[in-house]
């Protein structure tokens, strides 16, 4: 399971395996693009790195944060471009994409949609047995992966009912 916290300047990636009760940390990173790079170069770098991880680890699904940035149109536009490039890489690799909002992630990990970032990071570390400090974007990506692990069984049952 690959979790992705989309962004243009910083894009978090976090890989876990197993199920929600026995999740195991595999890898995390924060990709950084330089503001001096032209937009096509920044998007190309994101696409190449996400594609490389999809090829190397072959996750069964990808969980991406679906952000709603109503007050910052310029930020929303840039994040949206990164979001689109990530989805393209997933489609090319044949990996299904699931989206979760920030409140869903907080509720899944901490029990409340109003949790503070430090609480989410604490739960990610506790759930995965990771002691090292890592980038907030990578922590968000791991939180997304854990959220999907918790949600996937319910989604599968719901999908099965819809087919009947």
């Amino acid at each position: 399971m690959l979790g992705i916290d989309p962004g243009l300047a910083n894009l978090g990636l976090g890989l876990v395996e197993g199920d929600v009760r026995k999740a195991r940390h595999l890898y995390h990173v924060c990709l950084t693009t330089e503001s001096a790079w032209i937009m096509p170069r920044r998007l190309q770098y994101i696409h190449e790195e996400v594609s490389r991880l999809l090829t190397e680890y072959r996750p069964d699904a990808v969980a991406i944060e679906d952000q709603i940035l109503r007050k910052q149109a310029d930020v929303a536009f840039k994040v949206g471009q990164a979001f689109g490039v990530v989805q393209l890489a997933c489609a090319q690799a044949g990996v299904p994409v699931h989206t979760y909002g920030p409140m869903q992630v907080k509720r899944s990990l901490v029990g409340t949609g109003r949790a503070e970032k430090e609480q989410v990071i604490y739960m990610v570390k506790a759930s995965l047995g990771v002691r090292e400090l890592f980038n907030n974007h990578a922590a968000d990506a791991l939180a997304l992966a854990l959220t999907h692990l918790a949600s996937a069984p319910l989604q599968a049952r719901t999908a099965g009912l819809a087919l009947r």
Side-chain angles (χ1 to χ4, degrees), residues 76-135:
F77 183 71
K78 290 175 182 176
V79 171
Q81 290 181 79
F83 187 86
V85 167
V86 167
Q87 290 192 71
L88 173 62
C90 293
Q92 289 173 330
V95 179
V97 173
H98 304 271
T99 59
Y100 299 94
M103 290 183 76
Q104 285 176 283
V105 174
K106 292 174 181 181
R107 193 176 316 115
S108 174
L109 267 65
V110 181
T112 175
R114 304 241 182 250
E116 298 294 324
K117 184 166 285 294
E118 293 78 23
Q119 293 172 294
V120 173
I121 291 171
Y122 175 84
M123 291 305 295
V124 167
K125 288 180 176 183
S127 298
L128 296 173
V130 176
R131 293 181 186 216
E132 68 198 62
L133 296 173
F134 44 78
N135 179 283

Side-chain angles (χ1 to χ4, degrees), residues 141-162:
L142 291 168
L144 282 153
L146 290 170
T147 297
H148 183 73
L149 288 181
S151 302
L154 177 61
Q155 288 178 8
R157 286 194 300 273
T158 304
L161 292 174

Side-chain angles (χ1 to χ4, degrees), residues 15 20 32 38 43 46 52 54 82-83 92 117 120 134 141 152-153:
L15 278 152
V20 70
T32 302
I38 61 172
L43 296 173
I46 291 169
R52 183 184 62 75
L54 291 170
F83 187 86
Q92 289 173 330
K117 184 166 285 294
V120 173
F134 44 78

Side-chain angles (χ1 to χ4, degrees), residues 11-30:
L11 185 134
L13 297 160
L15 278 152
V16 299
E17 70 177 2
D19 61 36
V20 70
R21 291 186 180 149
K22 292 184 181 179
R24 189 169 75 91
H25 172 264
L26 295 177
Y27 178 78
H28 68 268
V29 69
C30 179

